[in-house]
Amino acid sequence: MIYLASPYSHPDPEVREVRYLKAVAEAVKLAGLRHVVYSPIVHWHEVAKYHILPYEASFWEHQNRPMLKLATTLYVLTLDGWEESVGVTQELAWAKEL
């Protein structure tokens, strides 16, 4: 299973929406290549948006870390901001631990 990490958190909701749509496109591409893929952004964006949940990485750690443990591969979608992303940095550190 591929865990697809990508930057998400941003104070501008339009930036978060664009990042979500790009993560969706990548997940679709990977699924089309017959990979099993999990993206926390694809999975949780709409839920978080409509139920007014936080978008900061710290809130999602209890969801994301167990899913990364199940993955065999970590992919990073290198959108603008990925190197500064708290979430992506955290996911890379977890992957190194595993």
XYZ file of all heavy atoms in Angstrom:
807
model
N 0.836 -1.171 0.000
C 0.000 0.000 0.000
C 0.884 1.237 0.000
O 1.850 1.322 0.755
C -0.918 0.031 1.230
C -1.805 1.267 1.259
S -2.945 1.368 2.651
C -1.870 1.908 3.949
N 0.532 2.192 -0.833
C 1.232 3.469 -0.907
C 0.524 4.470 0.004
O -0.696 4.635 -0.069
C 1.237 4.025 -2.350
C 2.031 3.105 -3.270
C 1.795 5.448 -2.375
C 1.880 3.446 -4.741
N 1.288 5.114 0.841
C 0.798 6.243 1.635
C 1.236 7.484 0.874
O 2.429 7.719 0.690
C 1.406 6.213 3.027
C 0.931 7.300 3.949
C 0.031 7.013 4.976
C 1.394 8.610 3.843
C -0.397 8.002 5.859
C 0.977 9.595 4.711
C 0.083 9.293 5.714
O -0.336 10.273 6.581
N 0.282 8.256 0.416
C 0.569 9.451 -0.377
C 0.552 10.682 0.527
O -0.509 11.154 0.941
C -0.461 9.602 -1.498
C -0.317 10.825 -2.396
C 1.033 10.830 -3.118
C -1.470 10.871 -3.399
N 1.737 11.161 0.859
C 1.872 12.381 1.660
C 1.892 13.580 0.727
O 2.429 13.514 -0.375
C 3.167 12.322 2.469
N 1.306 14.673 1.199
C 1.321 15.905 0.415
C 1.055 17.087 1.337
O 0.400 16.940 2.365
C 0.273 15.855 -0.709
O -1.022 15.640 -0.193
N 1.569 18.255 0.968
C 1.313 19.422 1.808
C -0.171 19.780 1.752
O -0.832 19.581 0.730
C 2.172 20.523 1.181
C 2.374 20.107 -0.229
C 2.346 18.602 -0.222
N -0.670 20.292 2.845
C -2.088 20.648 2.898
C -2.329 21.923 3.689
O -2.919 22.869 3.180
C -2.883 19.496 3.503
C -4.353 19.802 3.638
C -5.161 19.915 2.516
C -4.923 19.991 4.881
C -6.516 20.202 2.630
C -6.278 20.278 5.006
C -7.066 20.385 3.877
O -8.409 20.674 3.996
N -1.894 21.965 4.945
C -2.211 23.088 5.828
C -1.780 24.426 5.228
O -0.668 24.562 4.729
C -1.525 22.922 7.185
O -2.016 21.772 7.824
N -2.691 25.358 5.288
C -2.428 26.709 4.809
C -3.566 27.575 5.313
O -4.707 27.118 5.355
C -2.368 26.731 3.281
C -1.759 27.970 2.734
N -2.469 29.143 2.595
C -0.503 28.241 2.309
C -1.679 30.078 2.094
N -0.469 29.555 1.921
N -3.294 28.834 5.685
C -4.379 29.686 6.177
C -5.423 30.020 5.106
O -6.572 30.312 5.426
C -3.664 30.953 6.661
C -2.290 30.896 6.115
C -1.984 29.464 5.796
N -5.054 29.930 3.843
C -5.972 30.250 2.749
C -6.729 28.990 2.320
O -6.121 28.028 1.834
C -5.180 30.816 1.567
C -6.049 31.283 0.411
O -7.251 30.920 0.361
O -5.520 32.007 -0.445
N -8.055 28.966 2.474
C -8.817 27.775 2.092
C -8.713 27.433 0.603
O -8.817 26.266 0.229
C -10.259 28.102 2.485
C -10.300 29.548 2.779
C -8.900 30.008 3.042
N -8.468 28.422 -0.235
C -8.314 28.148 -1.670
C -7.038 27.348 -1.928
O -7.020 26.469 -2.789
C -8.326 29.441 -2.472
C -9.703 30.084 -2.520
C -9.739 31.351 -3.359
O -8.928 31.479 -4.301
O -10.580 32.205 -3.063
N -5.975 27.646 -1.205
C -4.723 26.884 -1.341
C -4.960 25.446 -0.895
O -4.527 24.503 -1.563
C -3.576 27.544 -0.536
C -2.347 26.643 -0.500
C -3.233 28.906 -1.120
N -5.659 25.261 0.220
C -5.961 23.902 0.685
C -6.791 23.145 -0.355
O -6.557 21.965 -0.604
C -6.690 23.943 2.029
C -5.821 24.429 3.164
C -6.419 24.154 4.537
N -7.754 24.677 4.748
C -8.033 25.893 5.205
N -7.047 26.746 5.486
N -9.284 26.267 5.390
N -7.740 23.819 -0.968
C -8.585 23.174 -1.986
C -7.763 22.730 -3.193
O -7.919 21.610 -3.692
C -9.698 24.126 -2.419
C -10.744 23.503 -3.300
C -11.648 22.504 -2.587
O -11.803 22.576 -1.354
O -12.207 21.636 -3.277
N -6.876 23.587 -3.666
C -6.013 23.233 -4.805
C -5.112 22.062 -4.441
O -4.941 21.124 -5.238
C -5.193 24.459 -5.273
C -4.088 24.046 -6.242
C -6.106 25.499 -5.908
N -4.548 22.085 -3.250
C -3.692 20.982 -2.810
C -4.486 19.681 -2.730
O -3.987 18.617 -3.111
C -3.052 21.314 -1.461
C -1.979 22.382 -1.571
C -1.439 22.797 -0.233
N -0.291 23.682 -0.369
C 0.368 24.206 0.646
N -0.002 23.932 1.891
N 1.396 24.998 0.426
N -5.700 19.756 -2.247
C -6.580 18.582 -2.204
C -6.818 18.042 -3.610
O -6.675 16.840 -3.847
C -7.905 18.962 -1.532
C -9.037 18.027 -1.832
C -9.070 16.749 -1.289
C -10.081 18.423 -2.659
C -10.119 15.883 -1.561
C -11.132 17.566 -2.928
C -11.148 16.300 -2.384
O -12.190 15.447 -2.665
N -7.170 18.914 -4.541
C -7.463 18.461 -5.906
C -6.240 17.838 -6.570
O -6.367 16.856 -7.312
C -8.002 19.626 -6.738
C -9.385 20.132 -6.317
C -9.737 21.406 -7.077
C -10.447 19.058 -6.506
N -5.068 18.360 -6.288
C -3.844 17.766 -6.844
C -3.558 16.404 -6.209
O -3.106 15.482 -6.900
C -2.671 18.719 -6.686
C -2.798 19.917 -7.618
C -1.625 20.866 -7.507
C -1.803 22.006 -8.508
N -0.672 22.930 -8.493
N -3.852 16.268 -4.931
C -3.691 14.963 -4.276
C -4.685 13.957 -4.840
O -4.347 12.791 -5.043
C -3.853 15.101 -2.763
N -5.905 14.394 -5.114
C -6.905 13.518 -5.735
C -6.399 13.031 -7.088
O -6.457 11.836 -7.395
C -8.270 14.233 -5.899
C -9.199 13.446 -6.808
C -8.923 14.476 -4.551
N -5.892 13.957 -7.899
C -5.406 13.585 -9.231
C -4.281 12.554 -9.145
O -4.243 11.595 -9.918
C -4.940 14.829 -9.982
N -3.379 12.725 -8.187
C -2.273 11.767 -8.029
C -2.784 10.417 -7.533
O -2.346 9.363 -8.001
C -1.216 12.325 -7.083
C 0.023 11.471 -6.991
C 0.817 11.413 -8.280
O 0.663 12.274 -9.161
O 1.627 10.469 -8.407
N -3.720 10.434 -6.603
C -4.291 9.179 -6.099
C -5.012 8.435 -7.218
O -4.900 7.205 -7.329
C -5.231 9.457 -4.930
N -5.732 9.156 -8.043
C -6.424 8.543 -9.187
C -5.411 7.929 -10.157
O -5.595 6.808 -10.635
C -7.323 9.578 -9.902
C -7.799 9.079 -11.253
C -8.506 9.951 -9.016
N -4.332 8.662 -10.416
C -3.287 8.151 -11.309
C -2.699 6.853 -10.759
O -2.566 5.859 -11.491
C -2.196 9.199 -11.496
C -1.096 8.772 -12.446
C -0.100 9.886 -12.651
C 1.078 9.641 -11.742
N 2.169 10.609 -11.914
N -2.374 6.840 -9.475
C -1.798 5.645 -8.858
C -2.797 4.482 -8.851
O -2.428 3.341 -9.122
C -1.323 5.955 -7.441
C -0.119 6.897 -7.346
C 0.067 7.384 -5.915
C 1.126 6.215 -7.870
N -4.044 4.780 -8.551
C -5.070 3.728 -8.571
C -5.242 3.172 -9.982
O -5.433 1.964 -10.156
C -6.392 4.274 -8.041
N -5.144 4.046 -10.979
C -5.236 3.603 -12.375
C -4.097 2.681 -12.770
O -4.246 1.863 -13.683
N -2.981 2.806 -12.067
C -1.840 1.914 -12.300
C -1.920 0.658 -11.430
O -0.974 -0.106 -11.338
C -0.527 2.664 -12.014
C -0.219 3.825 -12.962
C 0.967 4.639 -12.456
C 0.036 3.306 -14.371
N -3.078 0.481 -10.795
C -3.406 -0.701 -9.993
C -2.674 -0.739 -8.650
O -2.497 -1.803 -8.067
C -3.166 -1.997 -10.770
C -3.825 -2.059 -12.144
C -5.291 -2.175 -12.114
N -5.679 -3.501 -11.619
C -6.861 -3.784 -11.136
N -7.784 -2.867 -11.091
N -7.146 -4.986 -10.713
N -2.280 0.423 -8.150
C -1.696 0.502 -6.819
C -2.813 0.687 -5.800
O -3.828 1.308 -6.087
C -0.740 1.690 -6.700
C 0.495 1.552 -7.519
N 1.510 0.671 -7.202
C 0.890 2.194 -8.641
C 2.467 0.780 -8.085
N 2.118 1.691 -8.980
N -2.605 0.170 -4.613
C -3.475 0.482 -3.487
C -2.873 1.736 -2.873
O -1.692 1.761 -2.542
C -3.517 -0.672 -2.467
C -4.315 -0.271 -1.244
C -4.082 -1.921 -3.119
N -3.675 2.782 -2.748
C -3.149 4.065 -2.292
C -4.053 4.658 -1.221
O -5.270 4.554 -1.295
C -2.962 5.049 -3.473
C -4.273 5.335 -4.172
C -2.302 6.330 -3.033
N -3.412 5.245 -0.218
C -4.125 5.981 0.819
C -3.521 7.373 0.907
O -2.307 7.525 1.034
C -4.010 5.289 2.187
C -4.586 6.137 3.299
C -5.962 6.225 3.473
C -3.768 6.876 4.140
C -6.499 7.029 4.469
C -4.298 7.675 5.138
C -5.666 7.748 5.294
O -6.208 8.543 6.269
N -4.369 8.364 0.835
C -3.957 9.750 1.012
C -4.811 10.366 2.106
O -6.032 10.452 1.959
C -4.160 10.539 -0.291
O -4.137 11.928 -0.035
N -4.198 10.794 3.200
C -5.004 11.412 4.256
C -5.721 12.669 3.769
O -6.829 12.953 4.214
C -3.997 11.724 5.357
C -2.666 11.689 4.721
C -2.779 10.760 3.549
N -5.121 13.380 2.844
C -5.753 14.593 2.328
C -6.992 14.232 1.520
O -8.062 14.825 1.688
C -4.759 15.409 1.465
C -3.473 15.724 2.228
C -5.419 16.668 0.906
C -3.652 16.325 3.592
N -6.869 13.243 0.650
C -8.022 12.816 -0.151
C -9.111 12.250 0.755
O -10.290 12.543 0.592
C -7.592 11.789 -1.216
C -8.799 11.215 -1.949
C -6.610 12.427 -2.204
N -8.710 11.495 1.741
C -9.666 10.833 2.624
C -10.404 11.824 3.527
O -11.605 11.688 3.751
C -8.934 9.787 3.473
C -9.832 8.946 4.298
N -10.422 7.805 3.815
C -10.266 9.091 5.572
C -11.179 7.271 4.771
N -11.094 8.032 5.848
N -9.693 12.818 4.052
C -10.265 13.659 5.108
C -10.637 15.081 4.708
O -11.328 15.773 5.465
C -9.300 13.727 6.295
C -9.278 12.460 7.071
C -8.266 11.526 7.108
C -10.315 11.947 7.911
N -8.621 10.484 7.918
C -9.881 10.720 8.431
C -11.578 12.412 8.270
C -10.643 9.949 9.291
C -12.352 11.647 9.124
C -11.881 10.433 9.626
N -10.203 15.578 3.571
C -10.436 16.988 3.225
C -11.911 17.376 3.272
O -12.280 18.344 3.936
C -9.847 17.299 1.846
C -10.249 18.637 1.319
N -9.695 19.812 1.783
C -11.167 18.996 0.386
C -10.244 20.832 1.147
N -11.136 20.363 0.293
N -12.737 16.646 2.572
C -14.163 17.005 2.524
C -14.814 16.883 3.898
O -15.631 17.722 4.289
C -14.907 16.145 1.500
C -14.491 16.418 0.058
C -14.858 17.819 -0.419
O -15.942 18.318 -0.060
O -14.051 18.406 -1.161
N -14.454 15.853 4.635
C -14.995 15.674 5.990
C -14.599 16.863 6.859
O -15.438 17.460 7.546
C -14.489 14.354 6.613
C -14.921 14.232 8.054
C -14.968 13.158 5.798
N -13.323 17.213 6.827
C -12.828 18.328 7.644
C -13.484 19.643 7.240
O -13.837 20.465 8.091
C -11.313 18.424 7.525
N -13.658 19.824 5.946
C -14.233 21.077 5.446
C -15.691 21.224 5.892
O -16.077 22.283 6.386
C -14.129 21.103 3.918
C -14.566 22.405 3.294
C -14.167 22.494 1.832
C -15.029 21.621 0.959
N -14.773 21.812 -0.478
N -16.464 20.187 5.753
C -17.892 20.281 6.044
C -18.234 20.145 7.525
O -19.313 20.525 7.946
C -18.676 19.276 5.208
C -18.722 19.693 3.766
C -17.954 19.042 2.809
C -19.481 20.787 3.370
C -17.950 19.453 1.493
C -19.483 21.209 2.044
C -18.729 20.537 1.116
O -18.722 20.955 -0.186
N -17.305 19.627 8.290
C -17.563 19.469 9.719
C -16.658 20.361 10.568
O -16.554 20.177 11.775
C -17.440 17.996 10.121
C -18.500 17.175 9.468
N -19.796 17.135 9.925
C -18.470 16.416 8.349
C -20.520 16.359 9.127
N -19.727 15.916 8.167
N -15.992 21.293 9.898
C -15.180 22.320 10.532
C -14.164 21.717 11.514
O -14.092 22.077 12.677
C -16.048 23.416 11.191
C -17.141 23.849 10.215
C -15.188 24.618 11.571
C -18.186 24.766 10.822
N -13.410 20.765 11.008
C -12.316 20.176 11.789
C -11.029 20.935 11.483
O -10.889 21.530 10.413
C -12.155 18.697 11.429
C -13.338 17.799 11.798
C -13.139 16.408 11.229
C -13.529 17.749 13.301
N -10.074 20.910 12.386
C -8.805 21.616 12.148
C -8.078 21.062 10.924
O -8.211 19.887 10.581
C -7.994 21.335 13.413
C -8.973 20.911 14.437
C -10.102 20.266 13.701
N -7.305 21.909 10.283
C -6.514 21.457 9.142
C -5.041 21.294 9.494
O -4.254 20.849 8.677
C -6.693 22.384 7.935
C -6.376 23.844 8.200
C -5.080 24.310 8.156
C -7.393 24.746 8.479
C -4.795 25.634 8.398
C -7.115 26.080 8.721
C -5.810 26.519 8.676
O -5.521 27.839 8.909
N -4.644 21.598 10.727
C -3.243 21.469 11.126
C -2.862 19.998 11.318
O -3.640 19.191 11.806
C -2.987 22.222 12.442
C -3.148 23.713 12.329
C -4.599 24.166 12.508
O -5.465 23.359 12.882
O -4.866 25.343 12.245
N -1.621 19.694 10.980
C -1.110 18.321 11.045
C -1.217 17.713 12.439
O -1.478 16.520 12.583
C 0.339 18.276 10.563
N -1.025 18.534 13.463
C -1.035 17.996 14.836
C -2.369 17.335 15.187
O -2.397 16.337 15.913
C -0.716 19.098 15.844
O -1.675 20.141 15.764
N -3.466 17.856 14.659
C -4.776 17.271 14.936
C -4.912 15.878 14.311
O -5.567 14.995 14.866
C -5.889 18.185 14.411
C -7.267 17.609 14.590
C -7.925 17.719 15.806
C -7.911 16.951 13.551
C -9.199 17.194 15.984
C -9.180 16.418 13.712
C -9.826 16.539 14.936
N -4.278 15.671 13.158
C -4.476 14.459 12.364
C -3.471 13.355 12.663
O -3.570 12.256 12.119
C -4.457 14.819 10.881
C -5.608 15.716 10.576
C -5.582 17.078 10.437
C -6.968 15.326 10.442
N -6.839 17.537 10.218
C -7.721 16.495 10.211
C -7.635 14.095 10.487
C -9.100 16.471 10.027
C -9.005 14.071 10.301
C -9.723 15.253 10.073
N -2.516 13.609 13.539
C -1.479 12.616 13.829
C -2.072 11.272 14.245
O -1.618 10.221 13.795
C -0.543 13.130 14.914
C 0.547 12.151 15.258
C 1.524 12.685 16.292
O 1.577 13.903 16.525
O 2.253 11.856 16.855
N -3.087 11.283 15.077
C -3.664 10.016 15.567
C -4.374 9.239 14.462
O -4.613 8.047 14.602
C -4.597 10.263 16.757
C -5.910 10.865 16.397
N -6.065 12.199 16.097
C -7.121 10.294 16.263
C -7.332 12.427 15.801
N -8.000 11.300 15.897
N -4.707 9.893 13.363
C -5.275 9.211 12.200
C -4.170 8.741 11.244
O -4.214 7.628 10.719
C -6.215 10.151 11.419
C -7.451 10.575 12.148
C -8.469 9.444 12.264
O -8.523 8.554 11.422
N -9.255 9.494 13.308
N -3.202 9.619 11.015
C -2.223 9.384 9.953
C -1.128 8.382 10.312
O -0.740 7.556 9.475
C -1.587 10.709 9.532
C -2.601 11.642 8.914
O -3.682 11.221 8.505
N -2.272 12.916 8.847
N -0.633 8.450 11.520
C 0.474 7.560 11.894
C 0.094 6.074 11.777
O 0.858 5.287 11.200
C 0.982 7.904 13.292
C 2.263 7.203 13.618
C 2.812 7.637 14.979
N 4.040 6.919 15.220
C 5.177 7.486 15.504
N 5.264 8.801 15.611
N 6.251 6.760 15.725
N -1.058 5.636 12.282
C -1.420 4.221 12.116
C -1.571 3.803 10.647
O -1.229 2.675 10.294
C -2.755 4.098 12.854
C -2.785 5.239 13.803
C -2.027 6.338 13.140
N -2.044 4.715 9.819
C -2.187 4.376 8.397
C -0.814 4.243 7.730
O -0.613 3.363 6.898
C -3.033 5.432 7.686
C -4.474 5.468 8.168
S -5.334 3.876 8.046
C -5.533 3.738 6.281
N 0.115 5.091 8.112
C 1.459 4.982 7.556
C 2.118 3.670 7.971
O 2.845 3.057 7.187
C 2.314 6.179 7.968
C 3.723 6.237 7.387
C 3.711 6.210 5.876
C 4.452 7.464 7.889
N 1.827 3.202 9.181
C 2.370 1.915 9.633
C 1.906 0.759 8.746
O 2.599 -0.241 8.596
C 1.961 1.635 11.078
C 2.752 2.389 12.096
C 2.336 1.985 13.500
C 3.152 2.703 14.534
N 2.781 2.315 15.907
N 0.722 0.890 8.169
C 0.176 -0.157 7.299
C 0.763 -0.121 5.890
O 0.684 -1.102 5.161
C -1.350 -0.034 7.207
C -2.121 -0.231 8.508
C -3.594 0.099 8.288
C -1.948 -1.641 9.025
N 1.333 1.010 5.533
C 1.840 1.183 4.168
C 3.170 0.462 3.978
O 3.928 0.254 4.926
C 2.012 2.671 3.874
N 3.433 0.095 2.739
C 4.725 -0.485 2.385
C 5.619 0.547 1.702
O 6.825 0.350 1.605
C 4.541 -1.684 1.440
O 3.798 -1.265 0.295
C 3.816 -2.819 2.146
N 5.016 1.648 1.253
C 5.742 2.670 0.511
C 5.182 4.036 0.870
O 3.971 4.191 1.021
C 5.576 2.456 -1.015
O 5.966 1.127 -1.347
C 6.419 3.431 -1.812
N 6.059 5.014 0.968
C 5.652 6.397 1.167
C 6.006 7.181 -0.083
O 7.163 7.186 -0.509
C 6.373 7.005 2.379
C 6.210 8.512 2.582
C 4.769 8.874 2.910
C 7.146 9.017 3.667
N 5.011 7.796 -0.684
C 5.233 8.728 -1.793
C 4.967 10.125 -1.259
O 4.043 10.307 -0.457
C 4.252 8.485 -2.939
C 4.552 7.323 -3.848
C 5.483 6.341 -3.539
C 3.877 7.193 -5.051
C 5.724 5.281 -4.380
C 4.114 6.129 -5.904
C 5.043 5.182 -5.569
O 5.274 4.134 -6.414
N 5.746 11.084 -1.719
C 5.519 12.484 -1.368
C 5.179 13.238 -2.648
O 5.961 13.235 -3.600
C 6.746 13.118 -0.688
C 6.496 14.591 -0.412
C 7.093 12.383 0.601
N 4.023 13.853 -2.654
C 3.609 14.706 -3.764
C 4.274 16.063 -3.532
O 3.936 16.779 -2.598
C 2.087 14.825 -3.788
C 1.468 15.560 -4.966
C 1.873 14.921 -6.295
C -0.054 15.571 -4.831
N 5.227 16.396 -4.373
C 6.086 17.554 -4.125
C 5.474 18.834 -4.706
O 6.034 19.467 -5.595
C 7.499 17.314 -4.681
O 7.412 16.990 -6.070
C 8.200 16.192 -3.929
N 4.340 19.196 -4.140
C 3.707 20.463 -4.491
C 4.470 21.601 -3.823
O 5.244 21.377 -2.885
C 2.257 20.471 -3.989
C 1.357 19.327 -4.433
C -0.002 19.439 -3.744
C 1.190 19.337 -5.937
N 4.207 22.832 -4.266
C 4.800 23.983 -3.592
C 4.517 23.893 -2.100
O 3.390 23.630 -1.696
C 4.223 25.294 -4.142
C 4.743 25.641 -5.522
O 5.774 25.077 -5.935
O 4.114 26.481 -6.188
N 5.547 24.092 -1.315
C 5.400 24.072 0.131
C 5.673 22.733 0.782
O 5.647 22.633 2.005
N 5.954 21.706 0.005
C 6.120 20.381 0.606
C 7.307 20.329 1.560
O 7.263 19.656 2.577
C 6.225 19.283 -0.452
C 7.557 19.157 -1.124
C 7.981 19.811 -2.237
C 8.641 18.317 -0.712
N 9.256 19.439 -2.547
C 9.696 18.513 -1.623
C 8.825 17.429 0.332
C 10.908 17.864 -1.526
C 10.045 16.772 0.434
C 11.061 16.997 -0.497
N 8.380 21.057 1.234
C 9.577 21.009 2.085
C 9.372 21.714 3.427
O 10.039 21.391 4.398
C 10.769 21.610 1.349
C 11.203 20.750 0.175
C 12.300 21.378 -0.643
O 12.087 22.494 -1.158
O 13.368 20.746 -0.756
N 8.439 22.643 3.477
C 8.138 23.363 4.718
C 6.951 22.750 5.455
O 6.619 23.160 6.559
C 7.807 24.833 4.424
C 8.942 25.622 3.807
C 9.061 25.442 2.301
O 8.020 25.245 1.630
O 10.189 25.472 1.788
N 6.290 21.788 4.852
C 5.079 21.213 5.422
C 5.377 20.458 6.717
O 6.181 19.523 6.734
C 4.443 20.249 4.408
O 3.423 19.489 5.012
N 4.713 20.862 7.784
C 4.862 20.169 9.069
C 4.400 18.723 8.934
O 5.052 17.792 9.413
C 4.059 20.897 10.176
C 4.030 20.098 11.465
C 4.623 22.291 10.403
N 3.275 18.507 8.255
C 2.740 17.158 8.092
C 3.655 16.252 7.293
O 3.924 15.116 7.690
N 4.140 16.731 6.158
C 5.026 15.913 5.328
C 6.327 15.620 6.077
O 6.818 14.486 6.063
C 5.306 16.590 3.965
C 6.388 15.842 3.196
C 4.032 16.683 3.134
N 6.882 16.620 6.760
C 8.092 16.415 7.553
C 7.859 15.341 8.610
O 8.697 14.453 8.819
C 8.531 17.739 8.216
O 8.793 18.690 7.183
C 9.768 17.546 9.074
N 6.711 15.415 9.260
C 6.352 14.430 10.282
C 6.218 13.030 9.668
O 6.732 12.050 10.217
C 5.031 14.866 10.914
C 4.604 14.111 12.113
C 3.349 14.746 12.698
O 2.337 14.880 11.990
N 3.402 15.140 13.953
N 5.556 12.935 8.537
C 5.363 11.637 7.881
C 6.684 11.044 7.424
O 6.897 9.827 7.542
C 4.371 11.794 6.720
C 2.962 12.071 7.211
C 2.067 12.736 6.206
O 2.564 13.511 5.346
O 0.852 12.520 6.268
N 7.586 11.867 6.912
C 8.921 11.380 6.529
C 9.679 10.850 7.742
O 10.332 9.800 7.668
C 9.707 12.472 5.835
C 9.276 12.818 4.412
C 9.898 14.133 3.959
C 9.622 11.687 3.460
N 9.584 11.538 8.866
C 10.253 11.081 10.095
C 9.664 9.755 10.567
O 10.406 8.851 10.960
C 10.142 12.134 11.193
N 8.343 9.630 10.526
C 7.711 8.361 10.920
C 8.170 7.225 10.031
O 8.441 6.125 10.502
C 6.199 8.462 10.849
C 5.550 9.387 11.819
C 6.052 9.853 12.991
C 4.259 9.962 11.671
N 5.150 10.686 13.606
C 4.033 10.767 12.819
C 3.261 9.890 10.717
C 2.865 11.487 13.012
C 2.089 10.606 10.910
C 1.900 11.390 12.040
N 8.230 7.492 8.718
C 8.653 6.447 7.778
C 10.078 5.995 8.076
O 10.370 4.799 8.018
C 8.520 6.948 6.348
N 10.953 6.922 8.410
C 12.332 6.561 8.752
C 12.370 5.696 10.017
O 13.160 4.769 10.113
C 13.184 7.814 8.927
C 13.514 8.481 7.619
C 14.318 9.746 7.827
C 14.513 10.452 6.494
N 15.188 11.738 6.661
N 11.507 6.016 10.986
C 11.426 5.210 12.202
C 10.993 3.782 11.902
O 11.470 2.834 12.523
C 10.411 5.805 13.178
C 10.830 7.044 13.895
C 9.710 7.606 14.755
O 8.758 6.865 15.089
O 9.786 8.794 15.090
N 10.069 3.656 10.968
C 9.525 2.339 10.633
C 10.487 1.543 9.778
O 10.415 0.359 9.682
C 8.175 2.493 9.910
C 7.076 3.156 10.745
C 5.879 3.492 9.859
C 6.641 2.235 11.877
